[in-house]
Amino acid sequence: MRRYLFQGDVSKLPQTTCDVVIVGCGLAGLYTALNMDPKLKVVLINKNGLDESNSMYAQGGIAAAMADDDSPALHYEDSCQAGAGKNDPKALQVLVQEGPDNINQLIDWGVPFDRKLNGSLSLGREGAHSRQRIIHSHGDATGLHVTRTLAERLAKADNCEVLHSTCLVDFLSDDQGAVVGILTMSSDTPNNFAAILATHVVLATGGIGGLYPRTTNAAAATADGLSAAIRSGADVEDLEFIQFHPTALPQPDETGRCFLISEAVRGEGAVLRNHRGKAFMANEHPLADLAPRDVVSRAIFRQMLDAGTEHVWLDATMHSQDFLAKRFPTIFSHCMRLGIDMASQWLPVAPVQHYFMGGVKTNTEGQTSLHGLWACGEASWTGVYGANRLASNSLLECLVFGRRIARSISLDPNAYTSRNGVPAKHEPIKIRRRSVEVPAQRIDTIRRQIHQVMDRDCGIVRNQEGLSLAAAEIESLAAELDQATIHTVRTMETCQMVLAAQKIVEAALTNKVSIGAHYRSDDPASKLDSVV
């Protein structure tokens, strides 16, 4: 595995210096920046602009114990149930205890959360939640309005600078292995590299949806941060745990993204039906259509296999057009544009890749195993999810741990500039190795191969034979790209994707027991053996 994708002399690149560089401008990146001490110079980078992140597409909302009949203890218990008890207790306590205060912070900053006529927060319910605790904005456009509000606030912050169309390539290290900056490239211009040197680097690049042919993720989610961290030697955890959202429209759009049908639709009473029109979830779990996502996804998967179909149906016809248009304006209008009236027609839905529970391992302050590197949001592993993420905990994680990172850095900005009292020294990187030009057409083919392998062998259901085949195929692709010259973002992304896929498959091979979102059909305890 090559340590750096970049080939050349870093000392000859344009350089920017700052106190903190944040990689990613989704909710985790924006919120972390806004909670920093205004005296610190903060630089944020994004690949495709502030209008393109997984956070922007988050429909359901943010889970927090805000209701009178709710409590952090109940939120904790629901999270453990969904996570199959694999959650880190300390991190999960931090999440549920500090969640409400962070919601109040967003309210103070002007985020337009939906409210009842009496002025109290309008709370919804999603799968595996025992209480109404999902805070939403404009019905089903929570992520959009939260991130827009924070982006507007960030524009007024004199200490923050946003670099658009800028991609993470590598983390830069000093002579002691501490992370002291990042190496970037332009999304728009080939061979346009630069270095950003910083006392603190915050990784907030989001998920790994680009590894799969069907995903709800933004196009920018190609595992860049995960792979760069792995090459740097950062500890990672739970890479095999990948959540598939049970209900998305099965046909991707021109960007490759599948439109999500929020779990909140089922929270309002919608029912899953098979090709015969029969509701089937009541036979699968006591919570029926509001069972944990891994349970619902596998149940749909089984129905599709039994019938030889590519989707099942979601029936929301118990509601009027008026109700659906007001409660789910984004979903309702999108379906109407496709010629589907939710009030009178069932929606075709199928499970697609949605969320990554693994990531770069952190403690409860957001520190990784590498000095100077922090991580939050979907790119991080805090331990709060266990084997399966409870619905709407993800945006909350961005808030809670993003603020913790900001406060730790702001409390003592120079605390991480050296290790053991020895001043850190950055050594310019000069890399000269034999490089290979990989044609653009071949890069596109490799990306399709990654999609095929991950979908076939590392999807909702896995087994030893399939994962072994996947490991061999991806290893071959990785060897082919090991000396690839990085001229364009597409080539860079493909190199990141191959490494991430390789490590995810390795983790799935190692874990031979079915738990949560990692389902092994060759585990004797599995229930799908006769089907798969």
Side-chain angles (χ1 to χ4, degrees):
M1 179 178 68
R2 59 201 283 185
R3 168 63 181 86
Y4 289 100
L5 293 184
F6 175 73
Q7 296 169 309
D9 187 345
V10 172
S11 65
K12 295 181 180 180
L13 296 177
Q15 292 189 355
T16 301
T17 60
C18 59
D19 297 303
V20 183
V21 60
I22 298 176
V23 187
C25 287
L27 180 58
L30 294 173
Y31 195 68
T32 302
L34 288 169
N35 277 283
M36 289 286 178
D37 186 332
K39 296 178 182 177
L40 297 177
K41 180 182 178 182
V42 181
V43 173
L44 301 91
I45 72 168
N46 64 74
K47 189 187 293 187
N48 293 334
L50 292 179
D51 289 333
E52 180 70 20
S53 70
N54 283 353
S55 301
M56 299 289 288
Y57 295 122
Q59 294 177 350
I62 310 175
M66 304 289 286
D68 292 339
D69 67 343
D70 202 0
S71 68
L74 288 171
H75 191 181
Y76 181 96
E77 180 60 28
D78 290 347
S79 299
C80 283
Q81 289 287 339
K86 198 177 182 299
N87 319 66
D88 180 86
K90 185 178 179 181
L92 186 54
Q93 282 289 359
V94 167
L95 182 80
V96 300
Q97 292 290 343
E98 297 184 11
D101 188 52
N102 281 275
I103 295 299
N104 288 327
Q105 177 73 80
L106 293 183
I107 293 172
D108 289 344
W109 284 354
V111 173
F113 290 123
D114 296 340
R115 294 183 178 274
K116 299 178 182 178
L117 292 177
N118 64 7
S120 64
L121 288 170
S122 177
L123 302 175
R125 187 181 176 195
E126 294 184 357
H129 287 274
S130 62
R131 295 290 188 275
Q132 304 281 117
R133 67 165 66 98
I134 311 303
I135 301 138
H136 45 83
S137 180
H138 289 249
D140 55 359
T142 308
L144 176 66
H145 289 282
V146 173
T147 50
R148 274 186 178 173
T149 302
L150 297 192
E152 291 170 2
R153 189 176 185 87
L154 186 75
K156 302 174 184 177
D158 294 336
N159 66 314
C160 295
E161 178 185 6
V162 180
L163 302 180
H164 300 290
S165 301
T166 303
C167 307
L168 170 70
V169 180
D170 292 305
F171 291 117
L172 299 174
S173 302
D174 67 9
D175 58 342
Q176 299 173 60
V179 173
V180 294
I182 62 174
L183 202 148
T184 70
M185 71 183 302
S186 168
S187 302
D188 303 327
T189 309
N191 288 318
N192 188 354
F193 293 92
I196 303 176
L197 302 181
T199 307
H200 306 274
V201 178
V202 180
L203 175 63
T205 48
I208 51 100
L211 304 185
Y212 288 83
R214 297 194 302 174
T215 178
T216 62
N217 285 194
T222 51
D224 303 349
L226 174 67
S227 295
I230 290 171
R231 287 196 306 276
S232 295
D235 291 344
V236 294
E237 190 78 18
D238 284 348
L239 302 189
E240 70 270 33
F241 293 111
I242 299 172
Q243 187 175 83
F244 289 77
H245 197 288
T247 54
L249 299 183
Q251 293 303 317
D253 62 20
E254 62 278 1
T255 70
R257 180 177 172 272
C258 291
F259 186 82
L260 179 70
I261 305 298
S262 172
E263 200 163 273
V265 178
R266 282 176 282 133
E268 294 289 355
V271 176
L272 287 162
R273 300 186 183 279
N274 61 21
H275 72 288
R276 294 185 297 271
K278 181 180 179 181
F280 55 87
M281 281 307 304
N283 295 325
E284 300 286 344
H285 193 275
L287 292 175
D289 294 271
L290 290 178
R293 287 178 175 176
D294 62 310
V295 175
V296 181
S297 291
R298 287 195 297 273
I300 293 173
F301 183 75
R302 179 164 52 219
Q303 292 289 335
M304 289 163 56
L305 282 176
D306 286 347
T309 59
E310 295 186 354
H311 62 80
V312 294
W313 300 99
L314 182 65
D315 176 9
T317 59
M318 68 287 300
H319 294 300
S320 67
Q321 273 195 353
D322 184 61
F323 174 86
L324 293 169
K326 289 179 179 177
R327 178 64 181 88
F328 304 108
T330 305
I331 296 172
F332 182 82
S333 60
H334 183 86
C335 290
M336 287 296 283
R337 285 195 296 271
L338 297 177
I340 304 172
D341 179 0
M342 293 173 63
S344 60
Q345 296 171 274
W346 298 348
L347 302 180
V349 294
V352 304
Q353 192 282 332
H354 182 57
Y355 199 84
F356 187 45
M357 275 83 74
V360 181
K361 189 175 183 178
T362 73
N363 62 16
T364 53
E365 297 303 317
Q367 291 173 277
T368 73
S369 62
L370 296 181
H371 201 72
L373 179 64
W374 310 72
C376 59
E378 193 172 355
S380 70
W381 178 93
T382 60
V384 298
Y385 302 128
N388 188 36
R389 176 176 68 92
L390 180 66
S392 290
N393 269 355
S394 53
L395 294 184
L396 189 69
E397 184 195 34
C398 293
L399 301 174
V400 170
F401 293 96
R403 188 168 74 169
R404 281 188 153 235
I405 289 172
R407 289 183 172 180
S408 293
I409 292 174
S410 299
L411 185 65
D412 191 352
N414 298 317
Y416 303 95
T417 57
S418 64
R419 301 177 70 183
N420 302 321
V422 179
K425 179 183 178 183
H426 173 58
E427 297 291 344
I429 302 167
K430 296 181 180 180
I431 303 171
R432 293 288 183 267
R433 64 161 67 90
R434 186 173 73 87
S435 61
V436 177
E437 295 288 342
V438 182
Q441 186 175 7
R442 177 57 186 156
I443 290 295
D444 290 343
T445 299
I446 291 173
R447 291 172 82 106
R448 287 194 295 271
Q449 288 178 276
I450 296 170
H451 288 165
Q452 291 168 1
V453 169
M454 296 299 286
D455 188 48
R456 182 192 69 207
D457 298 320
C458 203
I460 296 172
V461 178
R462 299 111 180 242
N463 58 51
Q464 183 74 21
E465 181 181 1
L467 289 168
S468 297
L469 178 62
E473 291 185 34
I474 293 172
E475 183 179 356
S476 176
L477 297 177
E480 182 178 351
L481 291 176
D482 190 54
Q483 295 179 331
T485 303
I486 308 299
H487 289 313
T488 66
V489 166
R490 195 157 181 84
T491 301
M492 182 275 294
E493 285 180 338
T494 306
C495 290
Q496 309 279 32
M497 289 166 61
V498 165
L499 177 57
Q502 193 172 29
K503 296 302 179 181
I504 288 169
V505 169
E506 287 177 7
L509 266 170
T510 301
N511 189 350
K512 301 184 184 302
V513 177
S514 290
I515 178 171
H518 175 64
Y519 195 90
R520 291 281 301 248
S521 63
D522 49 357
D523 176 1
S526 297
K527 298 179 181 179
L528 289 180
D529 290 357
S530 61
V531 178
V532 181

